[in-house]
Structures are given as C-alpha cells and as structure tokens.
Amino acid sequence: MTNDWKPRTKLVHGGIRRSQYNEVAEAIFMTQGFVYDSAEQAQERFKKTGPDEFIYARYGNPTVDMFEQRLAMLEGTEDAFATASGMAAVNGALMCIAQAGDHIVAAKALFGSCLYILEKVLGRMGVEITLVDGLDLEQWKAAIRPDTKAVFFESTSNPTLEVIDIKAVADLAHAVGALVIVDNVFATPVFSRATELGADVIVYSATKHIDGQGRALGGVVLGTREFVRETLMPYLKHTGAALSPFNAWLMLKGLETMDLRVRAQSDAALKVTEALAGHPKLSRVIFPGHPSHAQYDLVQRQTGGKGGTVIAIEVEGGREAAFRFLNACEVGVISNNLGDAKTILTHPETTTHSSLSDAQREELGITPGLIRISIGLEDSGDLIADFLSALDQA
Ligand SMILES: *Cc1c(COP(=O)(O)O)cnc(C)c1O
C-alpha cells in the first residue's frame, strides 16, 4: 500500500484488507462484534486496540475501516472516521471540540442542517457563534478573535455556488490557533486540495459523489491521526453515529468509480453551462468551472479549475416560470440529492431552503427563479436539448 499512488489507483486499491480467503472484492464484515481467543486477550483489547483489533462496530469494523483508509489516502490526511450520514459527520466534527464559552466563526451561506447544529444545538449549549459573509475576508478578520476555537464553512456554498478561499481563511484562523473545519461536498473529494490549502478537518457527505448512485446515506470526517483518535473518536464512538458495514461497502464500490464519474459530470456541467449562458430566459447561470464565475481565479488555485458537478440557473419569471421549467424537463428528475448518476433538479426556495426566512433567502441569493441542477452521467447533448426545450416552455 503506497501513498505515492495516483488518485485513481488509491480509489481502487487503497485501504484494502483481505480475509483468509483472499477475496477480490472487499468483503462485507456484517458483524456487530468480534470474538476474543481468551479472557486475557479481551482484557488487553479493551486497554488498547491496534489497527487489526476490533471490539465493537460502533468503534470500528473492517469494512468501514477500508472505506476510511481509502478516503484518507485520497484526501492526503492521516486518518478518517466514517459516520452514518453527512450530518453526523458535521455534528461530530463540531461537537467533539466545542464546549460552553467557546467561540466559533462560520460562513452564513450554509446548508440548513449545518446552520441548525451551529445556532440551535451549539448555541443552546453556550457556544458563541458569529456568522460572516464567507466571501468577505474583512468580515472573517473582524470576527476571528484570540479565543476563537474554530472556523467552519462550506468551501463551495449551496445552492448559489460561491467559493470561499480556504487558504486565506485558514491563515487568519491559524494565526490565533483556531481549527479550520471545511465541509467540502460541492468541491468533491476528486478535485479537493483542502489539506494542502490549510484545512485541518475535512467533512464529506458520502451520500453525494462518494456513493454517487443514490443508494445510501453516509459521511466521513478526515484529519490528523491525533485529531481523529484523541478528539473525534471518543465523541463519535460513545454517541453512536457509526456507518453500517453494508453502507461502507457501497461507499467503497462508489469510490472505485468516483474519479471517472465526477470528471465526466464536471465536464458535462461545463458543456451545459456553455450552452445555457446568455439564454434570454435566464438571468443567471452559475458554475464555478466557467470563466464567468466571480471567483474563477480562486477556483483555479483551489480545485484546479474544476467547478464540481452542480450548476445553478435563475429563470426569468420567478417561481411560476421555474416550476414550468422543472415540470417540462424529461431527462433530469425533480429531487434533492446531488452528485448522483441521474441529473437532479431542485427548487431551493420551496424545498431544501424553505425553512429559511424570506430575508435569509434574499441575503443568500436564493430567489424564486433559482434552480439547482446536479449534473449526472447522461449524455450531455441529451441534457442540453432537454433544458433548451424546457426553457421554451418556461
Ligand atoms: C448533503 C449535505 C450535507 C448532509 O449530508 P447527509 O448525508 O444528507 O446527512 C452536509 N453538507 C452539505 C454541503 C451537503 O450537501
């Protein structure tokens, strides 16, 4: 097992553990626990576990471990801990470090559930949260204090696809010793350079590109071995957000094809953007991988110019026109996942972001005409033809 492998090789072979049968495909160790050879061994195991020594699936399991090690190899972190969903990963990464009286600074363009954890859960427990406009470095600078414990942000925001400068924010946070926690879903693990840019802890919802086929929920937190073992694991293993071995196996199989899928989806997203840019019925077409994006220079540095797999469009004529467009699309499906093999169309105002106030939505640019499109693996020509025809009917 070598860390010099290229990403695609890591995604196929990384972290593999074979049983005594030397199976080719990763085995599903569908077991909650493990048998000890003796009472003495059980006693030893509870004192200190090594890499091949498991106790209970809430703490670790061989199939789950393969998934964790494979993704850590890809991301370039020392270790990882997998969780039952992306939200369990976000919650774990924040809850394991926070205590009453702490201060955390976060970008306000956040997924509703992330905002709930920060404001409602951590807020209720006496953690002070300061929300800033993630694009405005002056606001980060003003908000980060000598006693700030951590900063948290989505590197590319949902659904308006603003890109936050990981390195610039990390430099400000590190100057006061704060931990940098990045939700990197929209950047995708394929294009991520978050580790080299200064992120200390990286969180993914594996439900998105890692599975990529709409089958299961999952999540993962990546970081240094010390952080994962000493800070994160005690919290997660005692609170029970463990990923099931079966779902870890689905995610392992997802990782094998993730690089190919995400690159194809990202290339198709660029083609769709080019085809829709300037359309008279669209007031905005947003894709971080297109030169028209406001942070295109940053996208070059941060994700090698790749804009992920999601685009956002704003239809002229508000919600009614947006609904007419959605209902006229025949290839993509109306749903709310992203990173899937199927193109997925979402109307944020009335679904994923419907719990926000009108003022919050307006501040985040979530207008009634805005539609999020997660580009799938279909032929890009079919997608473009479908979108153009649906725009005629909008
Ligand atoms: C989907 C998502 C999550 C939550 O992941 P689940 O697997 O649905 O729990 C968190 N952050 C971002 C940016 C997401 O897109």
Side-chain angles (χ1 to χ4, degrees):
M1 213 57 62
T2 160
N3 270 314
D4 297 333
W5 283 341
K6 296 286 188 291
R8 277 200 200 163
T9 312
K10 291 177 180 172
L11 286 169
V12 174
H13 293 288
I16 202 148
R17 302 168 158 268
R18 292 200 161 87
S19 77
Q20 72 271 35
Y21 301 113
N22 257 335
E23 63 281 352
V24 174
E26 296 77 359
I28 307 174
F29 289 93
M30 207 73 211
T31 180
Q32 130 290 329
F34 305 85
V35 175
Y36 314 106
D37 294 337
S38 65
E40 288 77 9
Q41 191 192 42
Q43 182 186 28
E44 282 310 304
R45 199 69 70 80
F46 269 77
K47 277 191 202 145
K48 197 168 167 34
T49 52
D52 278 309
E53 298 167 334
F54 296 96
I55 294 179
Y56 195 62
R58 177 151 44 76
Y59 295 20
N61 167 285
T63 312
V64 177
D65 181 79
M66 286 191 257
F67 169 61
E68 292 164 341
Q69 296 316 315
R70 186 169 295 181
L71 201 60
M73 263 181 109
L74 178 75
E75 192 72 40
T77 59
E78 288 171 3
D79 214 338
F81 195 86
T83 55
S85 70
M87 283 325 302
V90 172
N91 185 63
L94 290 166
M95 289 290 279
C96 76
I97 55 150
Q99 62 181 48
D102 279 347
H103 179 237
I104 292 178
V105 183
K108 65 179 129 198
L110 286 178
F111 188 56
S113 302
C114 294
L115 208 56
Y116 178 86
I117 292 172
L118 285 166
E119 293 198 304
K120 298 281 161 33
V121 182
L122 290 171
R124 191 171 64 212
M125 291 171 35
V127 177
E128 188 190 344
I129 308 292
T130 305
L131 295 178
V132 298
D133 174 350
L135 296 185
D136 186 347
L137 282 178
E138 292 305 317
Q139 287 195 25
W140 284 104
K141 208 178 287 178
I144 293 170
R145 314 187 303 226
D147 67 332
T148 299
K149 186 75 159 274
V151 300
F152 174 75
F153 55 95
E154 289 174 19
S155 52
T156 303
S157 70
N158 172 27
T160 49
L161 310 176
E162 294 175 341
V163 181
I164 293 180
D165 191 333
I166 297 177
K167 180 162 192 319
V169 177
D171 286 348
L172 292 172
H174 289 157
V176 299
L179 199 70
V180 177
I181 307 173
V182 177
D183 180 335
N184 214 27
V185 165
F186 279 68
T188 82
V190 171
F191 302 131
S192 170
R193 288 182 186 164
T195 315
E196 56 187 279
L197 295 171
D200 301 306
V201 178
I202 301 159
V203 178
Y204 288 106
S205 162
T207 318
K208 312 294 165 57
H209 305 87
I210 293 173
D211 173 40
Q213 289 150 89
R215 301 170 294 193
L217 293 174
V220 65
V221 185
L222 300 118
T224 62
R225 177 139 302 150
E226 189 189 355
F227 173 80
V228 171
R229 296 276 162 93
E230 310 298 329
T231 306
L232 179 73
M233 268 184 67
Y235 177 79
L236 283 174
K237 74 184 195 186
H238 292 301
T239 52
L243 182 65
S244 103
F246 183 77
N247 288 353
W249 177 81
L250 287 175
M251 299 304 172
L252 278 162
K253 289 298 165 198
L255 285 181
E256 288 185 340
T257 59
M258 180 176 67
D259 187 277
L260 294 168
R261 284 185 285 106
V262 166
R263 283 179 198 282
Q265 287 165 294
S266 187
D267 291 348
L270 181 58
K271 285 188 187 153
V272 171
T273 305
E274 283 166 350
L276 298 185
H279 192 287
K281 287 201 177 159
L282 294 176
S283 42
R284 286 194 286 170
V285 179
I286 311 169
F287 179 56
H290 189 266
S292 62
H293 192 275
Q295 288 100 38
Y296 190 62
D297 285 346
L298 174 60
V299 174
Q300 304 299 315
R301 280 178 275 133
Q302 196 149 296
T303 46
K306 297 295 188 176
T309 68
V310 178
I311 71 173
I313 60 172
E314 187 181 50
V315 185
E316 295 274 14
R319 188 186 307 153
E320 283 181 19
F323 275 24
R324 279 197 298 273
F325 173 84
L326 289 165
N327 293 334
C329 284
E330 290 180 352
V331 180
V333 297
I334 301 171
S335 188
N336 36 258
N337 193 17
L338 61 96
D340 197 274
K342 294 179 175 62
T343 290
I344 291 179
L345 305 146
T346 309
H347 187 248
E349 189 222 4
T350 53
T351 62
T352 51
H353 293 70
S354 58
S355 64
L356 300 188
S357 68
D358 288 345
Q360 279 175 312
R361 271 194 299 268
E362 192 177 319
E363 201 178 8
L364 298 177
I366 303 170
T367 58
L370 192 78
I371 294 168
R372 187 183 81 188
I373 308 177
S374 168
I375 300 294
L377 288 171
E378 302 93 340
D379 183 275
S380 59
D382 286 343
L383 287 174
I384 291 167
D386 193 35
F387 294 148
L388 291 176
S389 134
L391 278 172
D392 282 343
Q393 297 168 63

